[in-house]
Amino acid sequence: MSDSFGDWPLQRLMTEVVGSGPKSADDMTAAQATEAFERILADEPDPTTLGAFWLANRWKKNNPEELGAFLDVMRRDSVKTGVPECDPVDCGANYDGKSRSALLGVASGVVAAAAGTPVVVHSGDHVPSGMGVAYKHVLDELGVTTDLGPSESADMVDSTGFGFYYQPRFNPGVHGLFGRRERMGVRTFVNTVETLANPANADVHLGSFYHLAFATKVTDTFRASEETDVDRVLMFQGMEGYDDVRPGSTVVAEWNDGDDDLDDFTIETEEYGMDFDSEALEVADVAADSADITRDVLAGDRTDAFADAVALNAALRIYARQDADSIDDGLDMARDAIASGDAEQVLADLVTF
């Protein structure tokens, strides 16, 4: 047992707490979860024990107290923030990305920025287990510099209204786990907490979920965390787990600091111009096609399903920061930003940054 940690190496946690199976395992205390992730980031556990620990936590499912502890360790021991002067919306999409449908978050974030809502996005590079296309890859296709340190990312936000933070630069400890995560073959709790890294210290978090229970878990995780201070969360059912709203009947969850519970409501996307099904947003080459769609939509050269989806996703970002009183008002602002040419100019500014 290493003297630099406490009394709970991962092997003991497996034996006495989390490793007995999905029905009989116990949850860790915050102190135990804290020590576990400190050891992991320090590369202390044996690789076999680490893999078993990750899998045991996947089977038993982590509660907000554990996730809050993991988040706090990551923020203290790994995350290097770059705080812009503006207060952007933090878009925490799943880092393992998309594989079938267009990634619209770049276009949507640029449109929101042009409408007056600064937006921050962050990702790694083909992160396990999905190894899909994320924000970085679309930005690379657009010619935007992505290998930025946190302070450079903050400058990008203040200069253009839109900023990208690259995980290897702002979260090197978690990036250092890449090889171990790749060998796991399945998602771990790291996939959840890395999306909550909030490298710009934003007050507003925007994310997505498959099931509403996950949105509740995220807001409870923020409440359990001592190292994050998020005032507002907006989440919705996203395509492929990403932060592109799913067409059709879609649940939106909204939480403000001080609320006991989150509020949820259902929107029919056809009422906001998205009158099509998910297949309409599928593409052959996610990175390259998403970049082409982004250019065309921002230039006003497309008025199809992709343009409608970009406008609504931008509206949700505007509404998340409460720069519009309703999603309808945000939609008007988004469409005006495209029609005026302001959105295309933000993209041009990003390319030359």
Side-chain angles (χ1 to χ4, degrees):
M1 186 182 302
S2 172
D3 293 335
S4 63
F5 300 103
D7 299 325
W8 289 96
L10 264 60
Q11 188 170 8
R12 183 184 177 193
L13 286 170
M14 285 293 297
T15 302
E16 299 184 26
V17 186
V18 302
S20 61
K23 293 184 178 180
S24 57
D26 292 323
D27 293 324
M28 292 175 284
T29 65
Q32 289 169 333
T34 295
E35 182 178 338
F37 206 30
E38 287 173 344
R39 288 174 179 269
I40 291 169
L41 289 179
D43 196 27
E44 186 265 354
D46 175 85
T48 301
T49 306
L50 175 59
F53 181 77
W54 271 339
L55 193 57
N57 278 273
R58 177 180 171 86
W59 283 341
K60 85 166 190 66
K61 300 180 181 178
N62 290 114
N63 65 23
E65 183 179 16
E66 293 167 323
L67 292 172
F70 297 149
L71 177 57
D72 285 347
V73 172
M74 183 181 71
R75 290 272 299 180
R76 285 194 302 265
D77 294 357
S78 182
V79 171
K80 302 175 181 179
T81 59
V83 183
E85 293 181 9
C86 65
D87 186 13
V89 175
D90 172 72
C91 294
N94 287 335
Y95 279 24
D96 55 356
K98 304 181 84 174
S99 61
R100 301 183 306 276
S101 59
L103 193 154
L104 303 176
V106 173
S108 304
V110 168
V111 170
T117 297
V119 170
V120 159
V121 302
H122 41 99
S123 80
D125 190 358
H126 296 298
V127 170
S129 62
M131 310 290 284
V133 172
Y135 276 117
K136 171 181 167 50
H137 309 115
V138 178
L139 289 164
D140 286 342
E141 290 283 345
L142 289 166
V144 177
T145 300
T146 56
D147 189 7
L148 301 171
S151 63
E152 295 172 300
S153 297
D155 290 342
M156 177 184 277
V157 185
D158 285 326
S159 176
T160 70
F162 180 96
F164 173 74
Y165 289 69
Y166 187 31
Q167 185 183 54
R169 300 292 297 273
F170 80 84
N171 198 354
V174 167
H175 176 67
L177 299 172
F178 186 99
R180 295 298 176 199
R181 294 171 66 188
E182 186 177 17
R183 289 172 176 82
M184 281 295 296
V186 294
R187 290 169 59 87
T188 72
F189 62 74
V190 181
N191 291 84
T192 298
V193 297
E194 67 188 352
T195 67
L196 309 180
N198 193 11
N201 281 355
D203 288 332
V204 179
H205 173 79
L206 182 139
S208 69
F209 56 84
Y210 284 112
H211 303 292
L212 185 61
F214 182 76
T216 300
K217 182 173 287 190
V218 167
T219 56
D220 288 346
T221 295
F222 279 129
R223 284 197 281 199
S225 170
E226 297 178 356
E227 295 289 330
T228 56
D229 189 20
V230 174
D231 293 334
R232 178 168 163 80
V233 175
L234 189 80
M235 302 183 71
F236 49 77
Q237 289 175 304
M239 292 189 64
E240 296 189 68
Y242 221 72
D243 57 5
D244 300 324
V245 68
R246 185 180 70 189
S249 182
T250 299
V251 177
V252 179
E254 188 173 4
W255 176 82
N256 294 289
D257 189 24
D259 294 346
D260 291 333
D261 300 301
L262 57 77
D263 293 325
D264 63 273
F265 55 94
T266 301
I267 63 171
E268 304 296 334
T269 61
E270 65 183 46
E271 297 176 4
Y272 299 92
M274 282 180 58
D275 189 10
F276 47 82
D277 57 24
S278 297
E279 286 72 19
L281 300 180
E282 291 184 356
V283 292
D285 185 326
V286 176
D289 291 345
S290 297
D292 289 340
I293 290 164
T294 297
R295 292 188 191 95
D296 291 345
V297 170
L298 300 187
D301 293 338
R302 296 188 78 132
T303 57
D304 58 2
F306 293 107
D308 292 334
V310 167
L312 180 53
N313 278 285
L316 287 165
R317 285 150 175 76
I318 295 167
Y319 175 71
R321 192 170 178 265
Q322 297 181 302
D323 292 329
D325 292 332
S326 67
I327 298 173
D328 279 308
D329 289 344
L331 191 58
D332 290 339
M333 294 168 65
R335 288 175 171 155
D336 287 346
I338 296 172
S340 67
D342 290 345
E344 188 176 27
Q345 184 58 54
V346 170
L347 179 58
D349 293 341
L350 281 168
V351 172
T352 59
F353 176 81

